[in-house]
Amino acid sequence: MLSQFFLLSMRGDTLIYKDYRGGTTLQQEHTNSFFRKITNSPAPVFNIEGIQYIHIKRNGLYLVFTSMNNVSPVLATELLERISSLIKDYCGILSEDAVRNNFVLIYEILDEILDFGYPQETSTDILKSFIFHDPVVTREKTSDLQQIVDSFQIQSSKSTASSSTNQSVARKRSGKDEIFVDVIENLNVIFSPSGQVIRSDIEGNIVMRSFLSGNPMIRIGLNEEIIVGNSHQRRYGGINFEQCRFHPSINLGEWNLDRTLILTPPEGEFSLINYNISGDFAPPFRIIPYIDLGNGKSLDLMLRISGNFSSEIFSKVTVTCPLPASTDSVSFDYDRATQTAIYRREEGTFEWVVKKFYGQTENAIHVHINLDSMSGNFAKEIGPISMNFELPTHVTSGVRIRYLRVSENRKSYLPLRWIRSITRSNSYIARVDDSKLR
């Protein structure tokens, strides 16, 4: 089964190492082999000299399993996901500082999850009976954007910082019962050179994090216009879930009636629903590239991006684009007051960052590329253009939570309920028309 688990930082430092099978003394060699491979080929599963490596990357940390056997990648990946969730449940956050401060607690969790490389128990509720170390509270390093736009919302005008969710199930706040719900959507979009959408889909996830005393019943109401599967039932204006997966604790007795979910939530973080939507939505950003031959051995790339969302919110946007290997120098023309641009020669790409991209606005950059030579397939080496962003208080599909109710016999029981919406780029790409360069 599984032989080793290790957790690495972005620099390749070994933060956690656990050998489940014994007899393996090549810790440094295995971690170094993995890090060398992952920097060149970010495949989630690969084999080096008969050793299988399976990994995920979360919050800048690599969680890795190794095995001498042909282990199911799906099983190993799901187990790594559970480990990352358990570390977050018990430490409050998953970060390098939190791991360093709570390494004894994490080793205790790893001892309970697997026995001799075989999975045993991954439930937060059940593991609480076997975990005895108290967590060391670690503050999360938040960005300026997150500090400014903390988007928890509820029926009243109350709000709380996103760091409020960074609690440990082993150390609750005294006197506060709280429940947090995140509607998170990851977008996969491909644009043509003219800015038209070629392919688009949404990977949605509604995540709950519960810090409620007792076992109260929760009722969550979603959009009544949601349609699951059965493409012949699709209608204009509806939200069509092509695939949908519910948490096992959910009672679906009222789901078909008015899209209400009923459950008694387990402690810690878990996914209420995972859903997929294809097409039929307006992407929040539209990318339109234009490229042309300059004078002599040079190229000109004009890139224009428009924001198709509310003008009241903004996001930090990072755009990267590969350039020809024969690139000699690069110059930029852009708004230097709110943007930055840099040519990374070692990686052969340029990076353009818009610090605050507001909705209903447009930003552009002109990239002048000087080449050593115009020979070879330099035209095919340009692009595709990729974009990274995170939009708070925005849900592209229109999925929303109509209500969040906590049922309890005591009239004085008034837990705090927080709801947040986030849209992120997963694979947001625009193709470049190189026909004029051939």
Side-chain angles (χ1 to χ4, degrees), residues 16 21 27 63 97 111 125 140-141 162 164 191 200 206 208 245 260 295 319 334 355 370-371 383 391 420 423:
I16 299 291
R21 306 289 289 184
Q27 169 192 345
L63 290 83
D97 290 340
D111 283 338
D125 285 338
E140 184 177 18
K141 298 177 182 178
S162 57
S164 299
F191 292 97
S200 60
I206 300 180
M208 176 176 285
R245 185 178 68 179
T260 297
N295 297 324
V319 178
Y334 60 96
K355 298 175 183 177
N370 295 311
L371 304 176
L391 271 176
R420 179 172 64 172
T423 294

mmCIF file of all heavy atoms in Angstrom, residues 16 21 27 63 97 111 125 140-141 162 164 191 200 206 208 245 260 295 319 334 355 370-371 383 391 420 423:
data_model
loop_
_atom_site.group_PDB
_atom_site.id
_atom_site.type_symbol
_atom_site.label_atom_id
_atom_site.label_comp_id
_atom_site.label_asym_id
_atom_site.label_seq_id
_atom_site.Cartn_x
_atom_site.Cartn_y
_atom_site.Cartn_z
ATOM 1 N N ILE A 16 7.220 17.804 7.003
ATOM 2 C CA ILE A 16 6.705 16.595 7.650
ATOM 3 C C ILE A 16 7.168 15.397 6.837
ATOM 4 O O ILE A 16 7.107 15.415 5.600
ATOM 5 C CB ILE A 16 5.166 16.602 7.734
ATOM 6 C CG1 ILE A 16 4.649 17.787 8.561
ATOM 7 C CG2 ILE A 16 4.645 15.287 8.301
ATOM 8 C CD1 ILE A 16 4.952 17.692 10.040
ATOM 9 N N ARG A 21 5.927 2.070 6.143
ATOM 10 C CA ARG A 21 6.237 0.670 5.896
ATOM 11 C C ARG A 21 7.530 0.222 6.563
ATOM 12 O O ARG A 21 7.781 -0.975 6.707
ATOM 13 C CB ARG A 21 6.347 0.411 4.390
ATOM 14 C CG ARG A 21 5.137 0.854 3.585
ATOM 15 C CD ARG A 21 3.938 -0.030 3.819
ATOM 16 N NE ARG A 21 4.103 -1.345 3.227
ATOM 17 C CZ ARG A 21 3.183 -2.284 3.224
ATOM 18 N NH1 ARG A 21 2.015 -2.054 3.816
ATOM 19 N NH2 ARG A 21 3.398 -3.442 2.661
ATOM 20 N N GLN A 27 15.052 9.101 2.813
ATOM 21 C CA GLN A 27 14.120 10.225 2.869
ATOM 22 C C GLN A 27 14.576 11.375 1.980
ATOM 23 O O GLN A 27 13.828 11.875 1.155
ATOM 24 C CB GLN A 27 13.977 10.717 4.307
ATOM 25 C CG GLN A 27 13.242 12.056 4.415
ATOM 26 C CD GLN A 27 13.360 12.662 5.784
ATOM 27 O OE1 GLN A 27 13.740 12.007 6.743
ATOM 28 N NE2 GLN A 27 13.056 13.949 5.899
ATOM 29 N N LEU A 63 1.672 18.039 -0.693
ATOM 30 C CA LEU A 63 1.369 16.860 0.102
ATOM 31 C C LEU A 63 1.569 15.648 -0.799
ATOM 32 O O LEU A 63 0.931 15.538 -1.851
ATOM 33 C CB LEU A 63 -0.055 16.902 0.633
ATOM 34 C CG LEU A 63 -0.364 17.949 1.719
ATOM 35 C CD1 LEU A 63 -0.660 19.303 1.095
ATOM 36 C CD2 LEU A 63 -1.539 17.507 2.583
ATOM 37 N N ASP A 97 3.736 28.099 8.270
ATOM 38 C CA ASP A 97 3.895 28.465 9.681
ATOM 39 C C ASP A 97 3.053 27.572 10.586
ATOM 40 O O ASP A 97 3.509 27.149 11.663
ATOM 41 C CB ASP A 97 3.510 29.927 9.890
ATOM 42 C CG ASP A 97 4.514 30.889 9.277
ATOM 43 O OD1 ASP A 97 5.671 30.464 9.036
ATOM 44 O OD2 ASP A 97 4.160 32.064 9.041
ATOM 45 N N ASP A 111 -0.574 9.374 12.436
ATOM 46 C CA ASP A 111 -0.541 8.048 13.073
ATOM 47 C C ASP A 111 -1.921 7.411 13.118
ATOM 48 O O ASP A 111 -2.051 6.176 13.044
ATOM 49 C CB ASP A 111 0.024 8.159 14.491
ATOM 50 C CG ASP A 111 1.539 8.320 14.505
ATOM 51 O OD1 ASP A 111 2.176 7.940 13.508
ATOM 52 O OD2 ASP A 111 2.075 8.862 15.487
ATOM 53 N N ASP A 125 -14.775 14.116 13.412
ATOM 54 C CA ASP A 125 -15.510 13.838 14.645
ATOM 55 C C ASP A 125 -14.920 12.641 15.391
ATOM 56 O O ASP A 125 -14.727 12.678 16.612
ATOM 57 C CB ASP A 125 -16.983 13.573 14.336
ATOM 58 C CG ASP A 125 -17.733 14.858 14.002
ATOM 59 O OD1 ASP A 125 -17.258 15.926 14.405
ATOM 60 O OD2 ASP A 125 -18.769 14.779 13.322
ATOM 61 N N GLU A 140 -3.026 33.795 9.953
ATOM 62 C CA GLU A 140 -2.852 33.702 8.513
ATOM 63 C C GLU A 140 -2.371 35.029 7.962
ATOM 64 O O GLU A 140 -2.822 36.098 8.354
ATOM 65 C CB GLU A 140 -4.181 33.322 7.843
ATOM 66 C CG GLU A 140 -4.071 33.112 6.352
ATOM 67 C CD GLU A 140 -5.383 32.676 5.739
ATOM 68 O OE1 GLU A 140 -6.422 32.868 6.400
ATOM 69 O OE2 GLU A 140 -5.371 32.137 4.623
ATOM 70 N N LYS A 141 -1.412 34.959 7.019
ATOM 71 C CA LYS A 141 -0.920 36.161 6.356
ATOM 72 C C LYS A 141 -1.864 36.482 5.211
ATOM 73 O O LYS A 141 -1.914 35.781 4.207
ATOM 74 C CB LYS A 141 0.499 35.938 5.817
ATOM 75 C CG LYS A 141 1.514 35.644 6.918
ATOM 76 C CD LYS A 141 2.882 35.368 6.331
ATOM 77 C CE LYS A 141 3.890 35.035 7.428
ATOM 78 N NZ LYS A 141 5.229 34.702 6.868
ATOM 79 N N SER A 162 -12.387 37.180 7.114
ATOM 80 C CA SER A 162 -12.296 35.802 6.659
ATOM 81 C C SER A 162 -11.436 34.954 7.583
ATOM 82 O O SER A 162 -11.549 33.742 7.617
ATOM 83 C CB SER A 162 -11.719 35.756 5.240
ATOM 84 O OG SER A 162 -10.456 36.384 5.217
ATOM 85 N N SER A 164 -11.819 34.635 10.553
ATOM 86 C CA SER A 164 -12.672 34.058 11.592
ATOM 87 C C SER A 164 -12.903 32.581 11.389
ATOM 88 O O SER A 164 -13.230 31.853 12.320
ATOM 89 C CB SER A 164 -14.022 34.794 11.626
ATOM 90 O OG SER A 164 -13.835 36.157 11.920
ATOM 91 N N PHE A 191 -10.541 31.154 -24.749
ATOM 92 C CA PHE A 191 -10.975 32.190 -25.678
ATOM 93 C C PHE A 191 -10.266 32.017 -27.016
ATOM 94 O O PHE A 191 -9.090 31.633 -27.079
ATOM 95 C CB PHE A 191 -10.659 33.588 -25.136
ATOM 96 C CG PHE A 191 -11.453 33.975 -23.920
ATOM 97 C CD1 PHE A 191 -10.916 33.813 -22.650
ATOM 98 C CD2 PHE A 191 -12.724 34.502 -24.035
ATOM 99 C CE1 PHE A 191 -11.631 34.174 -21.525
ATOM 100 C CE2 PHE A 191 -13.455 34.862 -22.919
ATOM 101 C CZ PHE A 191 -12.909 34.701 -21.659
ATOM 102 N N SER A 200 -16.078 26.456 -22.148
ATOM 103 C CA SER A 200 -16.178 26.990 -20.789
ATOM 104 C C SER A 200 -16.924 26.018 -19.889
ATOM 105 O O SER A 200 -17.880 25.375 -20.325
ATOM 106 C CB SER A 200 -16.901 28.347 -20.797
ATOM 107 O OG SER A 200 -18.200 28.220 -21.328
ATOM 108 N N ILE A 206 -19.748 23.976 -2.702
ATOM 109 C CA ILE A 206 -20.298 24.681 -1.542
ATOM 110 C C ILE A 206 -19.719 24.033 -0.299
ATOM 111 O O ILE A 206 -19.956 22.858 -0.026
ATOM 112 C CB ILE A 206 -21.834 24.632 -1.531
ATOM 113 C CG1 ILE A 206 -22.390 25.292 -2.795
ATOM 114 C CG2 ILE A 206 -22.379 25.324 -0.291
ATOM 115 C CD1 ILE A 206 -23.906 25.289 -2.874
ATOM 116 N N MET A 208 -18.874 23.956 3.831
ATOM 117 C CA MET A 208 -19.361 24.375 5.150
ATOM 118 C C MET A 208 -18.294 24.109 6.202
ATOM 119 O O MET A 208 -17.569 23.113 6.143
ATOM 120 C CB MET A 208 -20.647 23.617 5.508
ATOM 121 C CG MET A 208 -21.175 23.930 6.903
ATOM 122 S SD MET A 208 -22.760 23.112 7.271
ATOM 123 C CE MET A 208 -23.870 24.112 6.300
ATOM 124 N N ARG A 245 -22.794 16.143 -6.723
ATOM 125 C CA ARG A 245 -22.506 15.140 -5.681
ATOM 126 C C ARG A 245 -22.750 15.761 -4.312
ATOM 127 O O ARG A 245 -22.237 16.847 -4.020
ATOM 128 C CB ARG A 245 -21.061 14.654 -5.796
ATOM 129 C CG ARG A 245 -20.710 13.529 -4.826
ATOM 130 C CD ARG A 245 -19.294 13.056 -5.030
ATOM 131 N NE ARG A 245 -18.328 14.066 -4.644
ATOM 132 C CZ ARG A 245 -17.010 13.902 -4.712
ATOM 133 N NH1 ARG A 245 -16.521 12.774 -5.181
ATOM 134 N NH2 ARG A 245 -16.201 14.864 -4.338
ATOM 135 N N THR A 260 -34.023 22.420 -1.107
ATOM 136 C CA THR A 260 -33.613 22.599 0.286
ATOM 137 C C THR A 260 -32.779 21.410 0.734
ATOM 138 O O THR A 260 -33.140 20.258 0.489
ATOM 139 C CB THR A 260 -34.836 22.748 1.206
ATOM 140 O OG1 THR A 260 -35.552 23.939 0.846
ATOM 141 C CG2 THR A 260 -34.408 22.853 2.668
ATOM 142 N N ASN A 295 8.799 46.399 -36.933
ATOM 143 C CA ASN A 295 9.838 46.756 -37.891
ATOM 144 C C ASN A 295 11.077 45.902 -37.664
ATOM 145 O O ASN A 295 11.598 45.837 -36.547
ATOM 146 C CB ASN A 295 10.195 48.236 -37.753
ATOM 147 C CG ASN A 295 9.018 49.144 -38.073
ATOM 148 O OD1 ASN A 295 8.233 48.825 -38.965
ATOM 149 N ND2 ASN A 295 8.878 50.240 -37.350
ATOM 150 N N VAL A 319 -1.497 38.057 -15.477
ATOM 151 C CA VAL A 319 -1.522 37.507 -16.829
ATOM 152 C C VAL A 319 -0.104 37.089 -17.206
ATOM 153 O O VAL A 319 0.851 37.852 -17.006
ATOM 154 C CB VAL A 319 -2.040 38.553 -17.842
ATOM 155 C CG1 VAL A 319 -2.016 37.980 -19.252
ATOM 156 C CG2 VAL A 319 -3.443 39.004 -17.467
ATOM 157 N N TYR A 334 2.108 50.517 -20.546
ATOM 158 C CA TYR A 334 0.933 50.234 -19.731
ATOM 159 C C TYR A 334 0.797 51.317 -18.669
ATOM 160 O O TYR A 334 1.660 52.208 -18.543
ATOM 161 C CB TYR A 334 1.054 48.851 -19.074
ATOM 162 C CG TYR A 334 2.260 48.710 -18.167
ATOM 163 C CD1 TYR A 334 2.151 48.909 -16.792
ATOM 164 C CD2 TYR A 334 3.506 48.383 -18.683
ATOM 165 C CE1 TYR A 334 3.249 48.784 -15.965
ATOM 166 C CE2 TYR A 334 4.610 48.259 -17.859
ATOM 167 C CZ TYR A 334 4.476 48.458 -16.503
ATOM 168 O OH TYR A 334 5.565 48.342 -15.691
ATOM 169 N N LYS A 355 -3.182 45.393 -10.241
ATOM 170 C CA LYS A 355 -3.361 45.248 -8.796
ATOM 171 C C LYS A 355 -4.829 45.312 -8.385
ATOM 172 O O LYS A 355 -5.272 44.574 -7.492
ATOM 173 C CB LYS A 355 -2.559 46.327 -8.076
ATOM 174 C CG LYS A 355 -1.058 46.237 -8.323
ATOM 175 C CD LYS A 355 -0.316 47.387 -7.690
ATOM 176 C CE LYS A 355 1.175 47.311 -8.023
ATOM 177 N NZ LYS A 355 1.925 48.471 -7.474
ATOM 178 N N ASN A 370 11.689 42.267 -29.104
ATOM 179 C CA ASN A 370 12.829 42.258 -30.021
ATOM 180 C C ASN A 370 13.413 40.854 -30.078
ATOM 181 O O ASN A 370 13.664 40.232 -29.028
ATOM 182 C CB ASN A 370 13.900 43.243 -29.566
ATOM 183 C CG ASN A 370 13.422 44.680 -29.632
ATOM 184 O OD1 ASN A 370 12.885 45.112 -30.647
ATOM 185 N ND2 ASN A 370 13.600 45.421 -28.540
ATOM 186 N N LEU A 371 13.624 40.332 -31.302
ATOM 187 C CA LEU A 371 14.115 38.975 -31.504
ATOM 188 C C LEU A 371 15.542 38.973 -32.027
ATOM 189 O O LEU A 371 15.963 39.891 -32.746
ATOM 190 C CB LEU A 371 13.213 38.230 -32.488
ATOM 191 C CG LEU A 371 11.719 38.145 -32.148
ATOM 192 C CD1 LEU A 371 10.961 37.471 -33.276
ATOM 193 C CD2 LEU A 371 11.497 37.419 -30.835
ATOM 194 N N GLY A 383 2.346 32.435 -26.735
ATOM 195 C CA GLY A 383 1.080 32.018 -26.152
ATOM 196 C C GLY A 383 1.081 30.531 -25.778
ATOM 197 O O GLY A 383 2.095 29.843 -25.916
ATOM 198 N N LEU A 391 -12.233 36.532 -7.496
ATOM 199 C CA LEU A 391 -13.258 37.566 -7.362
ATOM 200 C C LEU A 391 -14.111 37.308 -6.123
ATOM 201 O O LEU A 391 -14.821 36.294 -6.056
ATOM 202 C CB LEU A 391 -14.163 37.578 -8.592
ATOM 203 C CG LEU A 391 -13.767 38.455 -9.770
ATOM 204 C CD1 LEU A 391 -14.744 38.236 -10.922
ATOM 205 C CD2 LEU A 391 -13.752 39.921 -9.376
ATOM 206 N N ARG A 420 -20.238 33.369 2.189
ATOM 207 C CA ARG A 420 -19.281 34.043 1.320
ATOM 208 C C ARG A 420 -19.337 33.424 -0.076
ATOM 209 O O ARG A 420 -19.577 32.231 -0.228
ATOM 210 C CB ARG A 420 -17.859 33.906 1.889
ATOM 211 C CG ARG A 420 -16.793 34.570 1.035
ATOM 212 C CD ARG A 420 -15.445 34.576 1.734
ATOM 213 N NE ARG A 420 -14.929 33.235 1.961
ATOM 214 C CZ ARG A 420 -13.705 32.979 2.411
ATOM 215 N NH1 ARG A 420 -12.893 33.971 2.708
ATOM 216 N NH2 ARG A 420 -13.308 31.739 2.599
ATOM 217 N N THR A 423 -15.285 33.520 -6.818
ATOM 218 C CA THR A 423 -15.043 32.944 -8.142
ATOM 219 C C THR A 423 -13.551 33.004 -8.420
ATOM 220 O O THR A 423 -12.927 34.058 -8.277
ATOM 221 C CB THR A 423 -15.804 33.714 -9.234
ATOM 222 O OG1 THR A 423 -17.211 33.529 -9.039
ATOM 223 C CG2 THR A 423 -15.426 33.205 -10.618
#
